[in-house]
């Protein structure tokens, strides 16, 4: 009887641990959220909305114009995209587009994603952008990091590493 009780207790502990880990996956993540995404913003950045788009900007804006934008769209597939497709699109739509520096198909928290890095010049200002496209169930998310001050490259990489996807059944 004691062996059965110990076995049941061990199974109960394992079940509670698994439930706890699953809860972290389902509801965990960073301090900020956008749709099913959870993430940590850099110190001194805050979420706002500009023209219907969620944007994280520095508390020192407009002196610091580096920013992060968040866009949610309908269901899409990572298979619809390649470096050539992005290169042609940006070359034809963005004046001052300088070229794609990198294109990678990756995973963000187990979800198929793309990391795209490119440079451009707008109004005489050189900038680089990193776009993270996350293809999640019924929605796709595009998170764009715009860097004008090179100190934010590493800081924004930490934000990318902090992105978690809140799993849902729908």
């Amino acid at each position: 009887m004691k062996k059965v009780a110990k076995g049941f207790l061990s199974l109960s502990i394992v079940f509670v641990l698994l439930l706890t880990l699953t809860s972290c996956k389902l509801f965990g993540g960073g301090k900020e959220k956008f749709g099913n995404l959870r993430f940590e913003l850099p110190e001194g950045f805050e979420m706002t909305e500009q023209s219907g788009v969620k944007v994280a900007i520095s508390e020192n804006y407009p002196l610091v114009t580096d920013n992060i934008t968040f866009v949610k769209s309908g269901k899409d597939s990572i298979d619809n995209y390649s470096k050539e497709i992005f290169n042609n699109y940006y070359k034809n739509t963005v004046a001052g587009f300088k070229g794609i520096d990198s294109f990678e198909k990756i995973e963000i928290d187990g979800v198929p994603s793309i990391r795209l890095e490119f440079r451009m010049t707008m109004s005489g200002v050189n900038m680089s952008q990193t776009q993270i496209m996350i293809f999640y169930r019924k929605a796709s998310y595009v998170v764009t990091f715009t860097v004008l001050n090179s100190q934010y490259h590493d800081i924004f990489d930490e934000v990318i590493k902090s992105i978690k996807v809140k799993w849902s059944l729908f």
Side-chain angles (χ1 to χ4, degrees), residues 22 25-27 36 136-138 165-170:
T22 303
K25 178 70 173 175
L26 289 173
F27 305 108
N36 288 72
Y136 177 72
R137 297 190 184 186
K138 294 186 179 182
V165 179
K166 178 185 168 198
W167 291 93
S168 67
L169 297 176
F170 308 103

Side-chain angles (χ1 to χ4, degrees), residues 25 107-111 113 163-167:
K25 178 70 173 175
E107 286 191 354
I108 298 286
D109 202 22
V111 178
S113 304
I163 296 173
K164 301 293 180 208
V165 179
K166 178 185 168 198
W167 291 93

